C-alpha cells in the first residue's frame, strides 16, 4: 500500500469532485431520478474521499520527496485546489442528500466541518499556488494551462455551497455574516479567475492545441462559469429574511442579470471545448486522469442552469439542465470506467515512464571518403 501511493498526486481528488457533482446535479433537477440513487452516489463520493485522504496521508508520510516534487511542479501544484473542492462538494452533498441516510443533525455537523476545512484549504491554495507560479516555478506564457484555474475556483465552490448552512445558523448577525462572507468569496474567486482566464485563452489561441492528454482540461473553464451562476442563485434563494429587503432584491436581480449572460458564455465554451476534444480523439487521445474534467465543471453548469430555471421561470433552463446532466453522466461513466481499468492494470499508479532513448546517428563513409 505504501509503495502503491508513491505517485498518487492531488489530481486524484478530481474523481471525488466528479462523483459528488453527479449526486448534486441529480438532486438539482428535482424529479430527475430516484432520490435514493443520488444518495447512493453521494455515499460513494464520501467513501472515495475517505480512501483518498488516507492514501494521501501515507503519500506525505512515506514519500515526502515525491510530495514536495509535486509542489515544485507547475503542472501538478494547481491540483491542490481539488482537495478543497472535494471536501466542499462532499460536505454540500451531506446536507442535500446525506441527511436521508445519516440524519439532519449529523449532516449539518459533517457539512460544517467539511465546509470549514475546504474553505481554509481553498484560501491557502488560492494564494500559495499563484505565489509558487510567480516565485518558484518560473513558467513561460506558453505553459499556461486551464489547470491553473483550479486553486482560484475553490473559493467559488465555498460561495456556492456555503449558503446551504445559513438556515442552520442562529438568526440575525450569524446568518447575515455567513451570506456576506460567501458573497466575498464569490468576488475573490471571480476576479482572480478572470485574470487567469485571459492567460489560458491567449495560450489556446497563440500556442496551438494542448497536448492530447491535457485536452480535456479545457473543460475546466466551465467550472467557474457554472459555479458562479450557481452561487448567485443560492444568494438569491437565501437572502430574503437574512439581509435587508433592498439587498435581498438586489441578490435576486444579480441571479438573473449575471447568470444569464455567463451561462451563455459557458455554452460557447462548451462548444469550443468539445471541438478540441473531438479533434484530440481523432488524433489518438487515450484515457488519462484528465478525463475527470468532463465531470465536475459540467456539473456546475447543471446546477447553474437549474438555478436560472428557478429565478427566470423559463422552462428552457430546466431542459438545458437536464441535457447537461446527460452529458455529465456520460463523462462520469467514461472517466470512472477508465479509472477502474487503470487501477486494475496498475498503470495509473505506476511511475512515469522513462523517455525513449534516441538511437545514435550512424555515419557511413563512402569509397570516396565522404561521410553521410
Amino acid at each position: 500500500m505504501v509503495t502503491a501511493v508513491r505517485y498518487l498526486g492531488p489530481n486524484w481528488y478530481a474523481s471525488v469532485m466528479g462523483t459528488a457533482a453527479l449526486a448534486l446535479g441529480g438532486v438539482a433537477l428535482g424529479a430527475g431520478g430516484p432520490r435514493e440513487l443520488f444518495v447512493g452516489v453521494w455515499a460513494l463520493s464520501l467513501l472515495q474521499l475517505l480512501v483518498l485522504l488516507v492514501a494521501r496521508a501515507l503519500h506525505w508520510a512515506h514519500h515526502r520527496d515525491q510530495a514536495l516534487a509535486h509542489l515544485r511542479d507547475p503542472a501538478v501544484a494547481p491540483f491542490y485546489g481539488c482537495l478543497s473542492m472535494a471536501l466542499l462538494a462532499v460536505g454540500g452533498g451531506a446536507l442535500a442528500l446525506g441527511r436521508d441516510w445519516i440524519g439532519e443533525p449529523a449532516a449539518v455537523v459533517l457539512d460544517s466541518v467539511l465546509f470549514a476545512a475546504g474553505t481554509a484549504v481553498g484560501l491557502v491554495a488560492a494564494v500559495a499556488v499563484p505565489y509558487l507560479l510567480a516565485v518558484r516555478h518560473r513558467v513561460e506564457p506558453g505553459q499556461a494551462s486551464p489547470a491553473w484555474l483550479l486553486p482560484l475556483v475553490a473559493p467559488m465552490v465555498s460561495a456556492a455551497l456555503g449558503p446551504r448552512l445559513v438556515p442552520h445558523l442562529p438568526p440575525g448577525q450569524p446568518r447575515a455574516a455567513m451570506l456576506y462572507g460567501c458573497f466575498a468569496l464569490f468576488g475573490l474567486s471571480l476576479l482572480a479567475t478572470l485574470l487567469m482566464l485571459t492567460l489560458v485563452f491567449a495560450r489556446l489561441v497563440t500556442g496551438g492545441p494542448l497536448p492530447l492528454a491535457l485536452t480535456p482540461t479545457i473543460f475546466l473553464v466551465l467550472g467557474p462559469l457554472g459555479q458562479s451562476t450557481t452561487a448567485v442563485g443560492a444568494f438569491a434563494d437565501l437572502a430574503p429574511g437574512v439581509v435587508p429587503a433592498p439587498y435581498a432584491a438586489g441578490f435576486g436581480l444579480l441571479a438573473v442579470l449575471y447568470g444569464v449572460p455567463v451561462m451563455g458564455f459557458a455554452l460557447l465554451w462548451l462548444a469550443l471545448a468539445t471541438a478540441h476534444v473531438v479533434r484530440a480523439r481523432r488524433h489518438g487521445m487515450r484515457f488519462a486522469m484528465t478525463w475527470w474534467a468532463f465531470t465536475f465543471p459540467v456539473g456546475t453548469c447543471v446546477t447553474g442552469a437549474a438555478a436560472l430555471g428557478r429565478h427566470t421561470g423559463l422552462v428552457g433552463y430546466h431542459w438545458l439542465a437536464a441535457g447537461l446532466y446527460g452529458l455529465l453522466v456520460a463523462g462520469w461513466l467514461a472517466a470512472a470506467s477508465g479509472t477502474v481499468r487503470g487501477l486494475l492494470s496498475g498503470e495509473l499508479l505506476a511511475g512515469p515512464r522513462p523517455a525513449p532513448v534516441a538511437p545514435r546517428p550512424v555515419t557511413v563513409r563512402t569509397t570516396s571518403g565522404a561521410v553521410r
Side-chain angles (χ1 to χ4, degrees):
M1 175 65 177
V2 172
T3 303
V5 301
R6 175 166 177 78
Y7 298 103
L8 186 75
N11 58 314
W12 278 79
Y13 286 113
S15 64
V16 180
M17 296 160 54
T19 304
L22 192 66
L24 290 170
V27 76
L29 296 178
R35 184 175 174 88
E36 294 79 8
L37 176 61
F38 300 139
V39 173
V41 174
W42 171 79
L44 176 60
S45 72
L46 176 60
L47 177 61
Q48 287 178 272
L49 177 63
L50 294 174
V51 170
L52 275 174
L53 287 174
V54 172
R56 287 286 296 164
L58 290 173
H59 174 83
W60 270 96
H62 297 278
H63 303 289
R64 187 173 297 272
D65 62 324
Q66 188 64 34
L68 293 175
H70 285 163
L71 281 175
R72 300 187 190 104
D73 188 343
V76 180
F79 284 94
Y80 272 91
C82 292
L83 168 58
S84 167
M85 291 185 279
L87 294 169
L88 292 165
V90 173
L95 206 50
L97 291 161
R99 62 184 181 183
D100 294 2
W101 178 36
I102 61 177
E104 184 166 325
V108 171
V109 172
L110 180 58
D111 188 18
S112 300
V113 171
L114 293 180
F115 176 80
T119 300
V121 172
L123 290 173
V124 170
V127 175
V129 174
Y131 175 81
L132 290 174
L133 287 172
V135 176
R136 293 292 182 90
H137 292 158
R138 302 301 188 203
V139 294
E140 300 293 334
Q143 295 177 271
S145 165
W148 290 5
L149 294 168
L150 289 171
L152 303 178
V153 178
M156 186 66 78
V157 181
S158 295
L161 296 177
R164 296 174 184 267
L165 289 168
V166 169
H168 302 281
L169 295 172
Q173 288 284 320
R175 292 186 180 182
M178 183 67 169
L179 191 63
Y180 284 134
C182 290
F183 193 34
L185 291 170
F186 166 85
L188 178 159
S189 179
L190 177 64
L191 296 177
T193 297
L194 290 176
L195 291 174
M196 193 67 78
L197 185 56
T198 58
L199 297 177
V200 173
F201 188 67
R203 160 63 183 85
L204 290 176
V205 173
T206 63
L210 293 175
L212 296 182
L214 297 180
T215 299
T217 63
I218 300 177
F219 272 74
L220 294 176
V221 175
L222 295 174
L225 303 176
Q227 198 67 276
S228 60
T229 303
T230 303
V232 293
F235 300 153
D237 291 337
L238 274 300
V242 175
V243 298
Y247 301 145
F251 278 122
L253 289 173
L254 182 66
V256 176
L257 298 183
Y258 173 89
V260 170
V262 169
M263 184 56 64
F265 179 63
L267 295 177
L268 170 66
W269 194 272
L270 176 62
L272 176 66
T274 302
H276 275 267
V277 169
V278 169
R279 174 195 172 277
R281 285 291 286 173
R282 288 176 176 173
H283 285 75
M285 181 183 75
R286 299 177 56 197
F287 173 77
M289 287 298 288
T290 53
W291 282 34
W292 284 102
F294 297 144
T295 58
F296 192 79
V298 177
T300 67
C301 292
V302 172
T303 54
L308 285 175
R310 293 195 308 272
H311 291 286
T312 64
L314 295 177
V315 69
Y317 280 114
H318 294 291
W319 284 107
L320 175 61
L324 290 170
Y325 190 73
L327 185 62
L328 169 60
V329 171
W332 186 87
L333 289 173
S337 60
T339 302
V340 171
R341 287 195 303 269
L343 285 173
L344 293 177
S345 68
E347 183 178 355
L348 287 180
L349 293 178
R353 298 176 181 175
V357 178
R360 296 180 62 182
V362 178
T363 58
V364 178
R365 186 173 297 275
T366 67
T367 55
S368 65
V371 176
R372 64 180 181 180

